[in-house]
Amino acid sequence: MNLEKKHLLNYSILIPYLIMSVLGLIVIYSTTSASLIQYGMNPFRSVINQGLFWIVSLVAIAFIYKLRLDFLKKEKLLTLVIFIEIILLIIAKFFTQEVNGANGWIVLGPLSFQPAEYLKVIIVWMMALTFSKWQEDIKTYDYQAILRGHLFPRKFNDWRVYAIILILLVAAQPDLGNASIIVLTAITMFLVSGVGYRWFSAVLTLIVGVSGAFIGLTALVGVDNMAKVPVFGYVAKRFSAYFNPFKDLTDSGHQLANSYYAMSNGGWFGRGLGNSIEKLGYLPESTTDFVFSIVIEELGLIGAVFILALVFFLILRIMLVGIKAKDPFNSMMALGVGSMMLMQVFVNIGGISGVIPSTGVTFPFLSQGGNSLLVLSIAIAFVLNIDANEKREEILREAQVLMDTDQV
């Protein structure tokens, strides 16, 4: 049977993606147009830039959707991509200018990109390929199959070596936001790899315990004293704002306090699209990290809940593809993409609401940033391809059963 992929397209994923992308363009215009007009620039400048990235993203989705998934299972290709990513992260750290306290952007003329954004998909790809090949061992030996009998890797080409190097390079920039998303995604993929369910509660308890102990230690010792520790100085202000954003409204607590003001201004129904007060120079990063605060201010709690519901619906549909998939690699890949998006939403919303310390993570689709949109689009393209292949295989299996029945 010759089944065309265009007839197997999952519209329950594609349509929410398109809606969120269009909403993103509207939000970007709303959050950027006023400042662009103030500086005498084209108010559509940011929307045009984002729109160009969206067009590239749509082309990428169409291209990836037509590919055979076998290329993702080639270890040599993955190894090459990992080494390129390591080189790009090193260049971003040591050979670029600092932006907002971090070295994470590579600028090439009018274009710029952030290697850490693309690492999120690479980690999902790497872990999906690794765990899918270990399914039989995991069934027999549980988590010991993943550790290969050793807690620490003994070979350089061990997947754990690659993961540690990549995560440390991102954290050293320092980009603790993306590093957190990558670590949380990796942990989630470990827990859904087939290991015993009891390890889920154990790992969750460990994460909560370590995080709580670190926050408690910081509160006990004091942020100023913790800031003297090497590397920690970058996040000291964020912890200071986390404990009490109103203590220093002109410095460390400025962002989070104004994020609270924006959400308070929005109320139930918002001030109206384009009528935000905080975006007019009061709330820094209102177009990226804190864009959802502006969304709440303009569209209100009801509008924000609708957008969150749409995002969670998209994530749920992606994860359902992974749950239903018969092929272990397809299952792990889809679940990894869904986990990556879920963790990004959690870290962003947690940061702007003060539930967790702010880490400078963008909100999917709504934040200004072509790299983030492109990465999300590539990840969704993989899921669409996986879903189409799984549907085709299922149809072929059913057709074969019918043929065998007729022959009997």
Side-chain angles (χ1 to χ4, degrees), residues 339-361:
S339 300
M340 178 190 74
M341 291 182 60
L342 181 63
M343 295 308 165
Q344 185 167 343
V345 173
F346 166 73
V347 173
N348 179 271
I349 297 298
I352 70 170
S353 60
V355 175
I356 61 175
S358 175
T359 54
V361 170

Side-chain angles (χ1 to χ4, degrees), residues 188-345:
T188 304
M189 293 190 70
F190 166 77
L191 295 174
V192 300
S193 64
V195 299
Y197 67 89
R198 63 188 181 281
W199 297 109
F200 178 84
S201 57
V203 172
L204 182 62
T205 302
L206 178 63
I207 293 173
V208 173
V210 172
S211 301
F214 184 74
I215 293 175
L217 177 64
T218 304
L220 182 64
V221 175
V223 175
D224 294 336
N225 292 326
M226 291 293 287
K228 298 176 182 178
V229 179
V231 181
F232 190 75
Y234 168 72
V235 296
K237 289 184 177 181
R238 297 183 185 272
F239 271 91
S240 178
Y242 172 71
F243 291 123
N244 186 2
F246 299 98
K247 182 179 179 180
D248 188 3
L249 292 175
T250 60
D251 191 10
S252 61
H254 183 69
Q255 280 188 321
L256 189 54
N258 280 278
S259 175
Y260 289 161
Y261 294 150
M263 290 186 283
S264 177
N265 290 339
W268 285 100
F269 301 101
R271 297 179 55 85
L273 190 64
N275 294 326
S276 166
I277 297 174
E278 292 298 323
K279 71 182 181 184
L280 303 176
Y282 297 101
L283 177 59
E285 310 300 334
S286 61
T287 64
T288 52
D289 306 349
F290 287 84
V291 69
F292 205 75
S293 300
I294 304 300
V295 169
I296 296 175
E297 184 180 14
E298 294 188 346
L299 302 182
L301 181 61
I302 293 178
V305 168
F306 169 78
I307 292 175
L308 279 177
L310 186 59
V311 172
F312 286 133
F313 175 79
L314 175 59
I315 294 173
L316 176 62
R317 296 303 303 181
I318 290 173
M319 287 189 166
L320 281 176
V321 172
I323 292 171
K324 294 179 180 180
K326 304 296 183 182
D327 184 272
F329 174 79
N330 292 346
S331 178
M332 290 295 300
M333 193 73 184
L335 289 171
V337 170
S339 300
M340 178 190 74
M341 291 182 60
L342 181 63
M343 295 308 165
Q344 185 167 343
V345 173

